[in-house]
Amino acid sequence: MDIYNEKDKFYVAVDCIIFGFDNQKLKLLVFDRRIDPFKDSLSLIGSFVKIGESVSDAAVRILKEFTGLENVYMKELKTYGLVDRDPGYRCISVAQYALIRIDNTIKKLVEEKGARWYEIDNIPNLILDHNQMSIDALKRIEEVARYKPIGFELLPKKFTIPKLQTLYEAIYRRKFDTRNFRKKILSFDVIIKLDEKDRTTSKKGAYLYKFDYNRYRELQESGYNFEI
Amino acid sequence: MDIYNEKDKFYVAVDCIIFGFDNQKLKLLVFDRRIDPFKDSLSLIGSFVKIGESVSDAAVRILKEFTGLENVYMKELKTYGLVDRDPGYRCISVAQYALIRIDNTIKKLVEEKGARWYEIDNIPNLILDHNQMSIDALKRIEEVARYKPIGFELLPKKFTIPKLQTLYEAIYRRKFDTRNFRKKILSFDVIIKLDEKDRTTSKKGAYLYKFDYNRYRELQESGYNFEI
DNA sequence: AATAATAAATGTAAAAAGTACATTTATTAT
DNA sequence: ATAATAAATGTACTTTTTACATTTATTATT
């Protein structure tokens, strides 16, 4: 008996669970489907992997197609492989979660594509197992945020410490003491204070910082633990 | 254009990276392939997912087939999806890592199947991307062991604290102080002291303990962090 | 010009956790 | 009775975490 049997071939999809942060809340990007199957339903973005491309290339392609973005923080979540997960065809999906910075460019692009940001506590019904994917991705983000500073991927390149704190409070769903949070974050030694202030939320203004990727890489390689 | 194109269908494989602990060293289970392709080469165990089974069912089936074991700790590692990863057919593999208890039953079964345990620092050349899978799985275990007590999956149901320490030393590749290790482990409150001693390694004998799964689940749900 | 309002920035003391370190204990073999 | 062996244990010191309130810079208002 040959192990290769044409009947045992699958469609392989990639679905992307895209998170953003709008300065207040953590949000999920949801699309109004404009094509069948499931036309006019809500879903994550996804596509079949083409036979000539790798799974991760497919993920990059999809993200580019739907958001115009490249060089995005994107990681594999897990594979969804239940037999009846797609009633149409036997299809497995390699889900990927992505963290993006919401700016005006993105806002426009996303509208054109018929997409909308939903607060993570208020995600609508999505097709297939996409709600499960969103829940799983959110849980993963919480886990990863515990020991890796992924928060910076969701903020503008320049950000203030109070904004960073708001983001972490959104992820962990709890409040932090401002003094302790600032002390902890600064102790990691991966953000650089700039000579500019952001005055959009206060008269005094808050100093802007930027993330120091090189320093981060150094520390990470030496086994440093960025636990908040 | 239809999104469904018969040309974009893949074989989907599951490969299992199986780790064991022989009281001294962490080991990887490697198989002598008895069938083509790659007959007589070394590899992890794996198989194609059948069209009528889920990916995780395939993983369970494979593990059962090759080791006779059921109810094993097994988690998805990641998907290997490069275009040229398998020179024969376009095939993606959903790799799973498993932790098993090495006992005499397993030792015999494994021999019959043409398998061998290799120390993790001394893994031979394996087919395809199986070496990469092993490296990635090992890294994952190190990460997960940092905050989840997976060590217990590798030890006999009854184990002593010095054995547990040896295991953690094998995973982390460093020594711990016996007093501090014991204090830390006991502080988690997830192991139960038994009224038996193991006298195989000392005249005095060391008390046996068992893992308290219920207590573990309780603590885990309350967000407890089992960081060693 | 003085005052009110607002968010940002800062320090310290107490508690908890982690680390470093050496001796005693139970048992068997000689 | 003694030697040998691994198991079990306690404490002082250091570091980290936590809890908590005031001052600062600035703008808008009177």
Side-chain angles (χ1 to χ4, degrees):
Chain A
M1 188 202 93
D2 196 344
I3 56 167
Y4 299 106
N5 183 341
E6 281 290 325
K7 282 186 185 161
D8 291 325
K9 289 177 83 168
F10 296 68
Y11 285 110
V12 176
V14 167
D15 289 299
C16 299
I17 304 111
I18 304 175
F19 293 101
F21 178 65
D22 72 349
N23 276 335
Q24 283 304 126
K25 300 266 189 172
L26 198 56
K27 299 199 163 177
L28 175 74
L29 193 55
V30 171
F31 290 76
D32 235 326
R33 288 180 69 89
R34 292 174 172 174
I35 52 162
D36 266 319
F38 307 109
K39 190 165 187 286
D40 298 322
S41 298
L42 298 177
S43 81
L44 302 172
I45 54 171
S47 157
F48 287 142
V49 179
K50 296 184 205 299
I51 202 78
E53 79 185 338
S54 72
V55 173
S56 53
D57 284 350
V60 170
R61 168 174 61 79
I62 291 163
L63 203 77
K64 176 85 189 297
E65 238 170 74
F66 285 86
T67 67
L69 290 174
E70 293 179 280
N71 295 115
V72 166
Y73 179 96
M74 183 159 52
K75 301 281 173 195
E76 183 177 328
L77 174 63
K78 57 174 278 204
T79 295
Y80 291 79
L82 291 182
V83 174
D84 56 359
R85 62 171 291 279
D86 188 330
Y89 283 80
R90 183 74 176 94
C91 168
I92 68 166
S93 171
V94 185
Q96 320 270 332
Y97 65 96
L99 307 181
I100 71 176
R101 300 176 222 281
I102 302 181
D103 59 18
N104 290 331
T105 323
I106 290 300
K107 275 188 188 151
K108 208 187 290 176
L109 243 159
V110 146
E111 265 172 45
E112 286 167 11
K113 296 277 183 184
R116 236 194 85 184
W117 292 99
Y118 285 87
E119 290 185 15
I120 54 165
D121 293 323
N122 206 11
I123 297 174
N125 274 336
L126 307 176
I127 65 166
L128 301 180
D129 44 9
H130 289 195
N131 282 92
Q132 189 60 48
M133 289 179 182
S134 306
I135 291 166
D136 293 344
L138 201 52
K139 188 151 171 263
R140 179 69 61 85
I141 287 179
E142 283 171 29
E143 282 168 16
V144 174
R146 208 165 281 278
Y147 58 96
K148 281 185 182 169
I150 56 173
F152 302 104
E153 306 291 342
L154 289 160
L155 291 172
K157 298 245 157 126
K158 298 175 181 180
F159 53 86
T160 67
I161 291 183
K163 281 282 178 300
L164 184 61
Q165 181 171 344
T166 310
L167 169 59
Y168 271 96
E169 288 176 344
I171 295 174
Y172 287 122
R173 296 154 194 263
R174 70 182 182 91
K175 292 284 176 186
F176 294 96
D177 175 89
T178 54
R179 284 158 292 191
N180 295 340
F181 182 81
R182 185 178 290 263
K183 207 189 309 174
K184 185 83 192 179
I185 288 293
L186 289 173
S187 79
F188 293 154
D189 195 25
V190 290
I191 63 175
I192 299 167
K193 190 177 185 174
L194 303 174
D195 241 355
E196 293 172 76
K197 281 187 162 184
D198 169 15
R199 296 190 198 275
T200 56
T201 49
S202 89
K203 292 154 188 166
K204 181 179 178 182
Y207 277 103
L208 287 162
Y209 287 77
K210 65 175 183 180
F211 187 63
D212 185 346
Y213 282 94
N214 289 328
R215 179 78 180 132
Y216 169 61
R217 221 165 297 130
E218 264 176 49
L219 287 169
Q220 200 184 32
E221 276 160 21
S222 74
Y224 193 87
N225 185 7
F226 297 87
E227 192 165 349
I228 300 285
Chain B
M1 188 202 92
D2 197 345
I3 58 167
Y4 299 106
N5 183 340
E6 281 292 324
K7 283 188 183 158
D8 291 324
K9 288 176 84 168
F10 296 67
Y11 286 111
V12 176
V14 167
D15 290 299
C16 297
I17 304 111
I18 303 176
F19 294 99
F21 178 65
D22 72 349
N23 276 337
Q24 282 306 126
K25 300 264 189 172
L26 198 57
K27 299 199 162 177
L28 175 74
L29 193 55
V30 171
F31 290 76
D32 236 326
R33 288 179 70 89
R34 292 174 171 172
I35 53 162
D36 265 319
F38 308 108
K39 190 162 185 286
D40 298 324
S41 299
L42 299 177
S43 79
L44 302 173
I45 52 170
S47 156
F48 287 142
V49 179
K50 296 185 204 296
I51 202 77
E53 80 186 336
S54 70
V55 173
S56 54
D57 284 350
V60 170
R61 168 173 62 79
I62 291 163
L63 203 78
K64 175 86 189 296
E65 235 170 76
F66 285 86
T67 68
L69 290 174
E70 293 178 280
N71 295 113
V72 167
Y73 178 97
M74 184 160 51
K75 301 280 174 195
E76 183 176 328
L77 174 63
K78 55 174 279 205
T79 296
Y80 291 80
L82 290 183
V83 174
D84 56 357
R85 60 171 293 278
D86 188 330
Y89 283 79
R90 182 71 177 95
C91 168
I92 69 167
S93 172
V94 184
Q96 319 271 332
Y97 65 95
L99 307 181
I100 71 176
R101 301 176 221 280
I102 302 181
D103 60 19
N104 290 331
T105 323
I106 290 300
K107 276 188 187 149
K108 207 185 292 174
L109 243 159
V110 146
E111 264 172 45
E112 286 167 10
K113 297 277 183 184
R116 235 193 85 185
W117 292 100
Y118 285 86
E119 289 183 17
I120 54 165
D121 293 323
N122 208 11
I123 297 173
N125 274 336
L126 308 176
I127 65 165
L128 303 178
D129 45 9
H130 288 195
N131 282 93
Q132 189 59 49
M133 288 179 183
S134 307
I135 292 167
D136 293 344
L138 201 53
K139 190 154 170 259
R140 178 69 61 86
I141 287 178
E142 284 171 28
E143 283 169 15
V144 174
R146 208 166 281 279
Y147 57 95
K148 281 186 183 167
I150 56 173
F152 302 103
E153 305 290 343
L154 289 160
L155 291 172
K157 299 245 157 131
K158 296 175 182 181
F159 54 87
T160 67
I161 290 182
K163 281 284 178 299
L164 184 61
Q165 182 171 345
T166 310
L167 169 60
Y168 271 96
E169 289 175 343
I171 295 175
Y172 287 122
R173 296 152 194 263
R174 70 183 183 90
K175 294 283 177 188
F176 294 96
D177 175 87
T178 53
R179 283 158 291 191
N180 295 341
F181 181 81
R182 184 178 290 264
K183 206 189 309 174
K184 185 84 192 177
I185 288 291
L186 289 173
S187 79
F188 293 154
D189 195 25
V190 291
I191 63 175
I192 297 168
K193 191 177 186 172
L194 303 175
D195 242 355
E196 293 171 77
K197 280 187 163 186
D198 169 15
R199 296 189 199 277
T200 56
T201 49
S202 88
K203 291 154 188 167
K204 180 180 178 180
Y207 278 104
L208 287 162
Y209 287 77
K210 65 174 183 179
F211 187 64
D212 185 346
Y213 282 94
N214 289 328
R215 179 78 180 131
Y216 169 60
R217 221 165 297 130
E218 263 175 49
L219 286 170
Q220 200 185 32
E221 277 160 21
S222 73
Y224 194 86
N225 186 7
F226 298 88
E227 193 164 349
I228 301 284

